[in-house]
Amino acid sequence: MEFATNGMEKAMQIQINTGSGIHGGEGLIDKAEAEITAVFERFSEHLTRVEAHLTDQNGNKGGPDDKQCVLEARPTGQQPVAVTHRAETIEEAIRGAAESMAHLLDSRFGKLHHAKGGASIRHMASE
């Protein structure tokens, strides 16, 4: 999936990769893309690509926290960064990894948006 950022020609690509133990087809892919898009939209001008690798660590055996999502984000002109999150369901693993990556990107790029939706002090013009 690709989407343009603020009408510009640049686009952030989202790629979802699933392991053999992950079932869900297009519905799962669509949900994963929607979650990732929602979380990373505010970073889209700084990212060229986000990849999600979804795996089932225990296969048919099941077990606690056996679903894993590894997210890799590729900031423009910088080295890629990655986070891993394990959870009981693949949806929870995706959400957890997306939140972890958002925290990492907030630290890397600075707070792009104030928690209440306004611009941060770093982006205000000096008088």
Side-chain angles (χ1 to χ4, degrees):
M1 167 185 229
E2 292 184 31
F3 64 92
T5 58
N6 301 329
M8 299 169 67
E9 66 279 350
K10 284 183 160 183
M12 179 179 73
Q13 266 190 332
I14 297 175
Q15 181 174 338
I16 310 295
N17 303 300
T18 58
S20 61
I22 299 298
H23 306 287
E26 285 296 314
L28 174 63
I29 301 296
D30 291 344
K31 286 179 186 177
E33 286 179 349
E35 180 78 26
I36 291 168
T37 298
V39 172
F40 293 103
E41 187 172 19
R42 70 179 193 244
F43 302 110
S44 62
E45 68 186 55
H46 299 286
L47 300 174
T48 58
R49 183 180 184 96
V50 175
E51 284 189 46
H53 302 273
L54 310 176
T55 56
D56 185 339
Q57 297 300 109
N58 296 334
N60 292 333
K61 297 178 193 174
D65 296 342
D66 71 329
K67 306 300 187 277
Q68 177 175 284
C69 177
V70 176
L71 276 182
E72 180 182 307
R74 298 180 185 203
T76 305
Q78 298 179 25
Q79 293 294 314
V81 293
V83 299
T84 301
H85 189 83
R86 288 187 179 182
E88 212 167 303
T89 68
I90 198 66
E91 290 83 3
E92 291 170 358
I94 294 166
R95 190 172 306 110
E99 290 170 3
S100 293
M101 181 62 78
H103 291 299
L104 178 69
L105 294 175
D106 274 336
S107 295
R108 177 160 286 199
F109 300 132
K111 302 290 183 186
L112 296 178
H113 299 287
H114 185 270
K116 296 192 188 237
S120 75
I121 195 166
R122 294 180 197 166
H123 295 74
M124 298 175 89
S126 60
E127 294 180 23

